[in-house]
Amino acid sequence: MLREIIENSKDIKIIFNDKYYEDRDIIEFFFKILEGSYYSPSYVTADHNLVINDSKKGFWIEINYKEIMSFKDYRFSKLLVPIKPKCNWLTFYRAVDGIFDGKCLNLNISSTTDLYNMLRSKFNDK
């Protein structure tokens, strides 16, 4: 169900070293790795300043919504997802009204390796 909420977002962008990009191929590949994913509880709690600072380095995917969404009683109008090499999960930092706070959402996936490598090959020279 979280995958469907993500796929129905208003706007999805790629962030690389604090610059925003749109790339349909990468977004479609992101959706592909979500297939077969499943939710698991997260023990990570967002700190607004840390999330903002961390999102200025490396690869992130930003997912925006027109309205406040809800999943398992967690509310959000924006999700930020760091893309790290060789992970079997994605951590979604939740924001409401632009403030990141509270527990994160996790999706277990097969691997982030191919997505990370695709991002590196497209954006490493930028």
Side-chain angles (χ1 to χ4, degrees):
M1 184 165 153
L2 181 58
R3 189 188 80 193
E4 289 83 12
I5 291 171
I6 294 164
E7 290 176 351
N8 290 320
S9 68
K10 169 185 95 161
D11 176 45
I12 299 178
K13 291 192 173 48
I14 295 137
I15 307 171
F16 176 56
N17 291 339
D18 206 24
K19 293 186 179 144
Y20 288 76
Y21 301 93
E22 293 185 28
D23 188 300
R24 194 72 219 153
D25 292 338
I26 289 175
I27 299 307
E28 287 178 15
F29 193 79
F30 176 68
F31 288 154
K32 185 178 177 188
I33 69 168
L34 296 179
E35 291 175 11
S37 65
Y38 60 94
Y39 167 79
S40 65
S42 175
Y43 300 102
V44 176
T45 301
D47 173 278
H48 179 76
N49 292 329
L50 287 175
V51 172
I52 295 301
N53 287 335
D54 287 351
S55 70
K56 294 178 180 181
K57 298 171 267 183
F59 296 110
W60 292 70
I61 293 181
E62 180 182 274
I63 306 164
N64 293 290
Y65 296 89
K66 291 179 186 173
E67 58 198 38
I68 294 176
M69 306 296 288
S70 181
F71 177 77
K72 300 232 181 237
D73 295 327
Y74 295 113
R75 297 168 23 120
F76 51 90
S77 55
K78 177 189 284 192
L79 297 169
L80 270 179
V81 186
I83 306 300
K84 307 210 181 267
K86 300 179 183 176
C87 283
N88 292 335
W89 69 89
L90 293 169
T91 299
F92 293 79
Y93 292 92
R94 301 177 304 109
V96 175
D97 296 327
I99 304 297
F100 291 92
D101 188 30
K103 282 210 172 239
C104 298
L105 300 169
N106 275 353
L107 277 184
N108 291 305
I109 59 169
S110 58
S111 176
T112 59
T113 302
D114 290 341
L115 177 60
Y116 183 83
N117 289 339
M118 182 183 226
L119 288 163
R120 275 188 44 171
S121 70
K122 284 203 174 206
F123 295 107
N124 241 5
D125 295 334
K126 296 187 182 220

